[in-house]
Amino acid sequence: MSRLTTPSLDDVPAGARQILDEVAAQLGFVPEMFRTIASNPTVLEAVTSLQGTMSRVLDARTRHSIALAVSQANECNYCLAIHTYTSSEFGGMSSEDIDLARAGNAVDPKRAAAARFARHVVESRGQVSDADLAVVRDAGYSDPEILAIVTVAVQALLTNFINNVNQTDVDIPAVNAAG
């Protein structure tokens, strides 16, 4: 059971309702994580603004792979469920792609390097070596793209921490695995 108060949709504070409507329009439902965060409209705005901004960096499958790798590293069951759902339903990732991403890997070598690097950033608390940077650069990432990888990883880390603290009830629809 979730440990923080999750307001009903009718009890969401003013200022948060529009954001939840936008989440519902995008996903087809309002995940419990967003309803919980809506108890503090400023935090909800910060989380959704960061997500919206970061949706403009890297390609979708790379972002999904990073989120899955980071969520697995942090053992965040809620984030694993929602990222599996969004990766499959909206990102066109197969079950194999999702399993590989959770392990910090991918069929595509460039995407694999990003997922591994992101996972390493989280596990090392950002204390990566010159060799770690060389590997991700050798995979084809520029320094601005490396900044994007780190920021997408931190975005996932933020929601991992919120959901791990809350022990958010998983309310994610079943995945229809992409082919």
Side-chain angles (χ1 to χ4, degrees), residues 3-18:
R3 300 191 299 180
L4 301 175
T5 302
T6 301
S8 71
L9 290 176
D10 293 334
D11 294 330
V12 168
R17 185 65 211 197
Q18 181 181 349

Side-chain angles (χ1 to χ4, degrees), residues 52-167:
T53 299
M54 296 316 297
S55 71
R56 300 189 308 257
V57 301
L58 306 169
D59 65 274
R61 286 186 181 197
T62 299
R63 290 191 317 273
H64 288 305
S65 294
I66 292 168
L68 286 160
V70 170
S71 298
Q72 183 68 47
N74 286 304
E75 299 177 2
C76 182
N77 292 329
Y78 192 89
C79 291
L80 285 169
I82 195 149
H83 290 299
T84 295
Y85 176 78
T86 58
S87 297
S88 173
E89 300 300 308
F90 304 110
M93 291 176 69
S94 69
S95 294
E96 178 188 12
D97 290 333
I98 291 166
D99 289 344
L100 286 169
R102 287 178 65 162
N105 207 345
V107 172
D108 175 77
K110 186 174 181 181
R111 191 174 339 122
R116 271 192 303 276
F117 182 74
R119 186 174 177 133
H120 187 64
V121 165
V122 169
E123 290 172 342
S124 71
R125 294 178 178 87
Q127 301 294 323
V128 299
S129 67
D130 290 343
D132 296 323
L133 283 169
V135 168
V136 77
R137 284 180 178 132
D138 288 347
Y141 288 101
S142 65
D143 286 359
E145 290 170 320
I146 292 169
L147 290 171
I149 292 168
V150 172
T151 307
V152 170
V154 170
Q155 170 194 318
L157 187 65
L158 170 62
T159 56
N160 289 173
F161 281 10
I162 288 170
N163 288 300
N164 281 345
V165 165
N166 186 36
Q167 295 179 359

Side-chain angles (χ1 to χ4, degrees), residues 20 23-32 78 82 85 90 171-173:
L20 292 183
V23 168
Q26 182 181 15
L27 297 178
F29 69 106
V30 179
E32 179 153 336
Y78 192 89
I82 195 149
Y85 176 78
F90 304 110
D171 62 340
I172 310 305

